[in-house]
Each structure stands twice: as structure tokens, then as C-alpha cells.
Amino acid sequence: MQTILVLITFCIATGYLLKKFVWNPIFEGRQKTPGTLDGGKTKCGKNNCGCH
């Protein structure tokens, strides 16, 4: 019984680490718009964009 609980806990922990450090960085990199540091959310050309 304890072995099964240990294996389940290990699988959950491994899945969490893979999702956090492997899965998310791969797919977050594809969603950001290249060219701006905040993912394309700047309002360049206006006085309040923060880059002037």
C-alpha cells in the first residue's frame, strides 16, 4: 500500500516539475510577439508608452 502511494506521489511531483520547467517555457516562447520586451503590449508612438 505504501509503495503505491509513494509511486503516485513521485509521478505527481515529476509531472509538476516537467510542466513547470519544460512544457511551459516551450509554449510560452511561441505565444510572445517578438520585438518587444513585454510581448507586444507597448503603445509605441504615444507619450505614455514608457519607452521615450
Side-chain angles (χ1 to χ4, degrees):
M1 180 69 179
Q2 287 180 336
T3 306
I4 293 171
L5 293 175
V6 169
L7 286 174
I8 290 171
T9 304
F10 178 76
C11 288
I12 290 171
T14 304
Y16 171 77
L17 290 174
L18 284 174
K19 181 181 180 300
K20 181 172 178 142
F21 293 112
V22 177
W23 186 264
N24 285 342
I26 289 173
F27 290 105
E28 282 180 358
R30 292 182 184 177
Q31 293 175 354
K32 290 184 180 176
T33 304
T36 59
L37 296 175
D38 67 346
K41 296 179 183 174
T42 55
K43 304 175 195 80
C44 286
K46 298 185 178 182
N47 291 333
N48 62 353
C49 68
C51 60
H52 296 12

